[in-house]
Amino acid sequence: MRRAPFSLTTNIVLLVAVMGMASGLVTSYVAWHMQRMESQYLTLLHQQTEVSSTISLMRHQLTSAATMAHTTLHDRTSDPTLHAPTELAQLQRNFNANLTALAPLLPDEKFMLAGVAAQGQRVFSSAQDNLPDGAALDTLSRDFLPGLTLLQEAINTLQANAQRHFAASAQALQVRTQRALHIALFAGWGSVLLLSALAAWFARRFISRPLARLARNIRLRHYGTPLADLARRDEIGSLAHALQQFVDELQAAQAVEHKRALQQENKFMEEQLRQLTSALPGAVFQLQLPRGAPLQLRFLSPQWVEIFGLPKDTASDTATAALMLRQQNPQFISVTEQRFAQSAQTLESVDFEVAVHMFDDVTRWLKIRANPVMQDNDCVIFNGVLLDITKEYQQAQALKKAKAQAENNAQARTTLQASISHEIRTPLNAILGLTQLVLKTDLPETQREQLHNVLRAAQHLRGIVNEVLDFSKIDAGQLKLESTDFSLENVVLDAIRMCREEANKKNLEIHHTIASNIPDHLRGDPHRIAQILLNYLNNAIKFTETGHIHVNVQLDPDSTLHRIVLRLNVTDTGPGIPADRLPLLFEAFQQADNSITRRFGGTGLGLTISRALAQLMGGTAGVESVFGKGSTFWFTAVLEPARTLTAAPSAPPLPPTSQVGSWRGQRVLVVDDNPLNRAVAEGMLHALGLRTEVAEDGAQALFKLQAVGPKYYSCVLMDIQMPHMDGLSATKMLREMADFADLPIIAMTAHTGIQDVQNTQEAGMNAHLSKPLLESALHDTLQQWLSPANPGTENSTAPKQAPEEVPILFDASAIDALVKLFDPGKLQQLIEQFVHDSLQRAHALSTLVQKEDWQAMRAETHKLTGTAATFGLLQLGYWSAALSAALKAGDAVRIQELVQCTIKATNGGVDQLQEYLSTSRAH
């Protein structure tokens, strides 16, 4: 607050003086103005008197002139008549002098005075001219006297105007006098009111309010805030100083009392806190970090003594604790201060672990956790706990070590399984291969039957090896599914066809039903579906003595247009399974009866693998059985609609004669360190009309290839695991040679894991054949990578695939299948949405291809491909899939061509779809 420059008494005296001065000024103004008005009024009276006197003289002069003229007219002989011209001239001079004297007294009547002067001049001039001449008396009588009369009238009018002028002036003077009195009155009252207001403001500002503030501070006991009027030099300031001194003394006394009470309370609370925290497993602490100051320890529970390895009778107050910790573990203190400083900036919880060398020469692991709380004074308080986690850390390290050991053991087990599989597949490859080759020769029936038994036993052994390998892949998370279009009915029929021979031997019938609302053309992994189905069928045939087996395929109610959920059931009329054994069936190495392995063989992995495959396909597997009445094994799988229609496979296990003839004479290099494997591969290749040469390892293969050049061999069958140089290394070296960059190299190995296949691809191999080698698989692979050529013709080493036939524009069977799934209203809505989206995306492609926005085109193309075949637009699905491949490869020229094909297929397919719908509604 602004302080008063003087004391209150001085200020009051000054205020009264100002009021007196204002009153004196107003009184002086009134007196001066009244005196001035009086002077003006006296001047006005003097002027009025002088004007009246002058006008009276002028009237008298005119009367004298008239008398003189009258005398002259009636008595011409008298003496006055003789002296009349002289007297008349004197009268004229006097008249003009009086008239001149009136001019400054009557400034507003100058025009009338000028008229009177002119009229007087004429009257007196006429008298002067005619009065001496007696003959002119008539003229004098006729002109002078009337003119004189008019002049008198003018003098009278002038006198009347002068009276009115003086009356108006007197009235104006009276008005000014009244206005001056009013002004003086208002000024007097105004000054009184203003000075009264100033006095009230002064009293309130410098007396009342300061006193009220002092009273309020005392009443409310705002002792923490200094009084506002201490800087004043007047009586209020003295009073404020006295009150402030009283308040300071009172505060000091209260502070002492409060400090004493707080110390007692803190001591009590600290003791209570120590007792409460004494049972906790860790040491509770409180830290304080003021702004710009070091970290301060405020509380630490007694457990710290034990944690840091001190005797229990050691003093545990905070000051001693902080000093001992800083001296014993400066590095620990430095790390802790850094962590808490970071937490104070971010206000995030403190949570870290640190190894500390304790007072008892033992290194322990401590876990420190604390939560920061920001105080009003920018000070951060940390409430936390300090835990001894040495045992937990040691256990975690042991667990980590055990986990690493377990992972190493799992990896070693996987490697061992792969190695065992490889070692089993190598002789098994020879058994199967040589048996197949021998069966092609002419043999007695007994020997042929024995060889068939050998082949079946080898195939059974291969199945066991495959199950063990599949289980190993599933256990390692390496089993991946395919995604391809297939015919559901073909998969079911093929599985039944493969099991029908065994079923016929036991006089069992196998039936199947597929729900009519299931589309036949689907997308997924048909091989894994067939694998589960074959496992169920084989088990049903194995345990069913009489009756039949039924395969039933249903559509799950949760299915949608783009997410088709199938449920496949295999029901038999076998003995059934006891209820207590059902939960164990899908566990690894478990069977319903321990004698099953002795009676039928097997590993007990089939159902476990089946459930794992079903789960990979988004479903699950289970069993329902009534003991004595049969069982139903089921599994579900989530599939998609097919992108293209799939025809039933009709390829025979061996190549047609025409194909064999087209390969005749071409050379294939077989690279394998095992003589039996080389013999099997050569026998199968010879059966296909191919010529063979062999190499025992990768180094020999490189030598042979470099010796004959890149055009000599049409293909190389390369084993992976060989001495001196393995197949992967040899392939990498070949791919680094420009001449051999396009030579087809096919892996022929017992290593069939996903990583093994990826390794062959990364090394530059074109395909992968697993052992035991099958003629059908060998033929299919060679058909993909060998081009037809006559003997002696230069081979083309680039992979050649059969030209793909462009499908039809629209297939109505897809719509017919959708009719079974949806009601007419829902289907119409879906078709309309599909037509709208397809046309819009096709239009978007034409715009995006000009902008070369490949990323957006990939998104639009993927959406077109995903739904085209579902609604029968096969050609759209074909071209959009090709466009996706071109976009992935970045082939700009091919992209331009395929966009036009895709747009054309969209428009044409939509037209045929709508035409088919219109025709269907008409019928």
Side-chain angles (χ1 to χ4, degrees):
M1 174 173 176
R2 188 177 179 183
R3 63 185 184 181
F6 305 107
S7 65
L8 291 178
T9 304
T10 304
N11 290 328
I12 293 172
V13 171
L14 290 176
L15 184 62
V16 171
V18 169
M19 295 179 67
M21 290 174 62
S23 300
L25 289 175
V26 172
T27 305
S28 299
Y29 171 78
V30 172
W32 171 79
H33 193 74
M34 293 300 295
Q35 185 177 4
R36 182 169 172 267
M37 291 297 104
E38 181 181 4
S39 174
Q40 292 177 355
Y41 189 73
L42 291 175
T43 301
L44 182 62
L45 289 177
H46 175 72
Q47 289 178 351
Q48 185 178 9
T49 303
E50 189 174 353
V51 168
S52 298
S53 175
T54 303
I55 291 175
S56 297
L57 289 175
M58 291 175 65
R59 186 179 293 112
H60 176 70
Q61 291 167 356
L62 292 178
T63 302
S64 297
T67 303
M68 189 178 293
H70 185 272
T71 302
T72 301
L73 288 175
H74 295 88
D75 188 4
R76 298 178 182 176
T77 61
S78 62
D79 291 335
T81 303
L82 297 177
H83 296 91
T86 303
E87 293 177 359
L88 187 62
Q90 184 62 35
L91 288 174
Q92 183 179 1
R93 285 192 299 271
N94 292 336
F95 181 84
N96 289 336
N98 290 330
L99 191 62
T100 302
L102 285 177
L105 298 177
L106 297 174
D108 295 336
E109 300 294 334
K110 59 183 179 177
F111 294 107
M112 190 168 185
L113 290 175
V116 171
Q119 181 69 20
Q121 183 67 30
R122 287 193 300 271
V123 171
F124 282 105
S125 295
S126 176
Q128 288 289 340
D129 294 338
N130 297 306
L131 191 60
D133 188 3
L137 292 176
D138 293 335
T139 304
L140 181 62
S141 178
R142 188 180 61 250
D143 295 333
F144 173 73
L145 293 178
L148 187 60
T149 301
L150 291 175
L151 184 59
Q152 288 177 343
E153 291 177 357
I155 293 299
N156 292 334
T157 301
L158 180 61
Q159 185 177 11
N161 290 343
Q163 290 176 352
R164 284 194 299 272
H165 170 71
F166 287 117
S169 297
Q171 186 177 3
L173 187 60
Q174 183 181 5
V175 170
R176 287 199 300 272
T177 302
Q178 291 177 351
R179 184 167 61 243
L181 291 175
H182 290 162
I183 292 174
L185 179 63
F186 290 148
W189 281 108
S191 62
V192 170
L193 292 176
L194 180 61
L195 292 174
S196 298
L198 179 62
W201 172 82
F202 178 84
R204 184 173 182 273
R205 180 176 178 83
F206 293 102
I207 300 176
S208 299
R209 288 179 61 183
L211 290 176
R213 273 197 303 273
L214 293 175
R216 184 173 63 252
N217 288 339
I218 298 301
R219 184 177 66 255
L220 299 179
R221 298 184 180 181
H222 290 168
Y223 300 148
T225 303
L227 298 180
D229 300 295
L230 294 174
R232 295 180 58 165
R233 301 176 181 176
D234 54 8
E235 293 83 350
I236 298 295
S238 301
L239 180 60
H241 277 287
L243 288 176
Q244 184 64 51
Q245 184 176 2
F246 170 75
V247 167
D248 292 342
E249 293 175 356
L250 181 62
Q251 281 184 313
Q254 289 179 345
V256 171
E257 183 66 24
H258 178 72
K259 184 176 181 181
R260 184 182 301 110
L262 188 62
Q263 288 176 348
Q264 293 178 354
E265 183 181 359
N266 288 342
K267 185 175 181 180
F268 175 76
M269 293 296 296
E270 186 172 348
E271 185 63 29
Q272 291 291 323
L273 188 59
R274 291 182 185 280
Q275 294 177 6
L276 289 173
T277 58
S278 61
L280 297 178
V284 178
F285 64 86
Q286 186 180 76
L287 297 175
Q288 176 178 303
L289 183 59
R291 181 178 294 275
L295 194 65
Q296 302 171 5
L297 180 62
R298 298 182 60 182
F299 174 80
L300 187 60
S301 63
Q303 285 87 340
W304 81 275
V305 175
E306 182 178 353
I307 292 175
F308 282 86
L310 288 171
K312 293 186 178 180
D313 57 351
T314 303
S316 57
D317 60 278
T318 56
T320 304
L323 180 61
M324 295 180 68
L325 289 176
R326 187 173 295 277
Q327 292 176 350
Q328 176 69 14
N329 295 287
Q331 185 177 2
F332 164 67
I333 296 297
S334 176
V335 172
T336 303
E337 289 178 344
Q338 183 179 1
R339 292 298 185 101
F340 279 93
Q342 293 175 354
S343 176
Q345 294 178 357
T346 62
L347 293 182
E348 296 181 354
S349 298
V350 177
D351 190 352
F352 67 97
E353 300 173 1
V354 62
V356 183
H357 186 71
M358 303 302 179
F359 293 98
D360 55 0
D361 291 332
V362 177
T363 299
R364 294 187 179 90
W365 278 89
L366 301 181
K367 185 177 185 66
I368 300 176
R369 302 186 64 179
N371 294 324
V373 178
M374 177 65 74
Q375 303 295 313
D376 294 337
N377 57 354
D378 290 340
C379 177
V380 181
I381 299 295
F382 293 93
N383 299 309
V385 62
L386 185 147
L387 301 172
D388 182 1
I389 60 167
T390 304
K391 293 181 180 179
E392 290 80 358
Y393 179 80
Q394 293 173 349
Q395 292 174 356
Q397 290 299 109
L399 182 61
K400 184 178 180 180
K401 183 177 180 181
K403 180 182 177 183
Q405 184 65 37
E407 291 175 349
N408 292 335
N409 292 340
Q411 182 63 35
R413 185 176 69 251
T414 302
T415 304
L416 178 62
Q417 289 174 347
S419 177
I420 293 174
S421 174
H422 180 270
E423 296 301 325
I424 294 176
R425 284 173 181 271
T426 298
L428 188 59
N429 180 53
I431 295 171
L432 283 171
L434 294 174
T435 302
Q436 292 177 84
L437 292 176
V438 173
L439 285 173
K440 292 181 178 294
T441 62
D442 293 332
L443 296 171
E445 189 62 31
T446 302
Q447 294 181 359
R448 181 174 295 279
E449 181 63 27
Q450 291 173 346
L451 287 175
H452 273 297
N453 291 334
V454 171
L455 185 62
R456 281 194 292 270
Q459 290 173 342
H460 179 66
L461 180 60
R462 185 188 64 183
I464 293 176
V465 173
N466 288 339
E467 282 188 350
V468 173
L469 187 58
D470 281 346
F471 181 77
S472 176
K473 292 178 181 178
I474 293 171
D475 189 45
Q478 294 182 350
L479 188 64
K480 303 297 182 182
L481 298 178
E482 295 181 0
S483 182
T484 184
D485 295 339
F486 66 93
S487 169
L488 177 63
E489 186 175 11
N490 290 344
V491 172
V492 174
L493 290 177
D494 287 346
I496 294 175
R497 190 180 302 113
M498 296 173 66
C499 299
R500 195 176 297 281
E501 182 178 356
E502 293 297 325
N504 290 338
K505 292 179 181 180
K506 300 180 70 171
N507 295 321
L508 297 175
E509 294 184 359
I510 301 179
H511 308 289
H512 80 281
T513 56
I514 300 177
S516 59
N517 59 348
I518 300 177
D520 183 58
H521 306 291
L522 299 171
R523 185 173 185 84
D525 192 336
H527 304 295
R528 296 304 179 182
I529 294 175
Q531 181 177 347
I532 301 175
L533 196 56
L534 281 172
N535 187 22
Y536 285 0
L537 286 172
N538 287 328
N539 285 344
I541 294 171
K542 185 187 300 185
F543 299 114
T544 303
E545 299 299 330
T546 59
H548 64 274
I549 299 170
H550 185 71
V551 179
N552 180 31
V553 186
Q554 300 173 345
L555 186 68
D556 193 273
D558 293 336
S559 298
T560 62
L561 181 62
H562 300 291
R563 185 178 182 274
I564 299 173
V565 184
L566 294 184
R567 180 185 173 98
L568 290 89
N569 306 285
V570 177
T571 304
D572 61 53
T573 56
I577 304 170
D580 60 336
R581 299 297 300 174
L582 290 177
L584 303 176
L585 286 182
F586 287 88
E587 299 295 330
F589 308 109
Q590 295 290 332
Q591 292 180 329
D593 189 347
N594 294 332
S595 64
I596 289 175
T597 304
R598 296 191 299 272
R599 293 171 56 196
F600 301 103
T603 61
L605 295 175
L607 294 179
T608 303
I609 294 172
S610 297
R611 171 173 283 181
L613 293 176
Q615 290 173 346
L616 285 175
M617 291 186 287
T620 186
V623 60
E624 299 169 358
S625 180
V626 178
F627 187 68
K629 295 185 179 180
S631 306
T632 298
F633 285 83
W634 58 269
F635 73 94
T636 57
V638 179
L639 306 173
E640 300 177 2
R643 298 178 184 177
T644 59
L645 296 182
T646 307
S650 58
L654 293 178
T657 306
S658 59
Q659 184 66 58
V660 174
S662 65
W663 289 341
R664 191 172 301 281
Q666 295 190 46
R667 297 180 184 86
V668 177
L669 179 62
V670 179
V671 186
D672 200 309
D673 63 316
N674 189 289
L676 290 177
N677 288 340
R678 294 199 300 269
V680 170
E682 285 190 284
M684 291 184 178
L685 292 171
H686 292 160
L688 296 174
L690 294 165
R691 298 162 62 184
T692 61
E693 294 184 12
V694 298
E696 296 183 3
D697 55 47
Q700 288 188 13
L702 287 175
F703 179 77
K704 282 181 174 288
L705 289 167
Q706 289 177 320
V708 299
K711 303 298 183 181
Y712 185 79
Y713 296 109
S714 300
C715 179
V716 177
L717 294 183
M718 180 82 72
D719 190 21
I720 299 300
Q721 187 173 341
M722 294 181 293
H724 305 301
M725 180 180 287
D726 58 57
L728 297 178
S729 301
T731 303
K732 290 178 181 177
M733 294 184 67
L734 277 175
R735 293 310 185 203
E736 292 176 357
M737 304 177 189
D739 294 340
F740 294 96
D742 296 329
L743 176 64
I745 302 176
I746 300 171
M748 182 180 60
T749 177
H751 295 288
T752 58
I754 293 177
Q755 188 61 45
D756 299 319
V757 176
Q758 291 178 350
N759 291 339
T760 60
Q761 295 174 350
E762 292 173 358
M765 293 185 171
N766 302 92
H768 187 281
L769 283 173
S770 61
K771 296 177 182 177
L773 202 60
L774 298 179
E775 287 182 298
S776 59
L778 177 62
H779 167 261
D780 292 341
T781 304
L782 292 176
Q783 191 175 27
Q784 181 180 2
W785 293 100
L786 285 184
S787 58
N790 296 323
T793 304
E794 189 179 84
N795 297 332
S796 174
T797 58
K800 300 293 182 180
Q801 298 184 9
E804 199 171 355
E805 183 179 355
V806 178
I808 61 176
L809 197 61
F810 171 68
D811 182 19
S813 63
I815 302 299
D816 296 337
L818 292 176
V819 171
K820 301 176 183 179
L821 288 172
F822 302 98
D823 59 85
K826 180 64 175 177
L827 179 59
Q828 179 65 27
Q829 182 181 357
L830 291 174
I831 292 174
E832 290 177 354
Q833 184 65 40
F834 165 74
V835 170
H836 175 268
D837 293 346
S838 298
L839 293 175
Q840 189 175 21
R841 287 175 181 136
H843 176 72
L845 286 178
S846 63
T847 303
L848 294 173
V849 73
Q850 297 176 0
K851 299 179 180 178
E852 297 186 354
D853 190 350
W854 309 132
Q855 184 176 357
M857 286 184 67
R858 278 195 292 270
E860 297 296 335
T861 305
H862 176 73
K863 294 173 184 177
L864 279 174
T865 307
T867 57
T870 305
F871 293 91
L873 272 65
L874 304 184
Q875 199 172 111
L876 172 58
Y878 174 85
W879 290 121
S880 59
L883 178 58
S884 295
L887 286 168
K888 186 175 181 181
D891 189 348
V893 177
R894 183 65 173 159
I895 290 171
Q896 297 281 349
E897 298 174 356
L898 291 174
V899 165
Q900 300 304 321
C901 295
T902 303
I903 295 174
K904 185 176 180 181
T906 303
N907 295 330
V910 167
D911 291 341
Q912 290 194 15
L913 170 62
Q914 293 176 336
E915 182 180 356
Y916 176 75
L917 293 175
S918 300
T919 305
S920 300
R921 294 192 194 99
H923 293 297

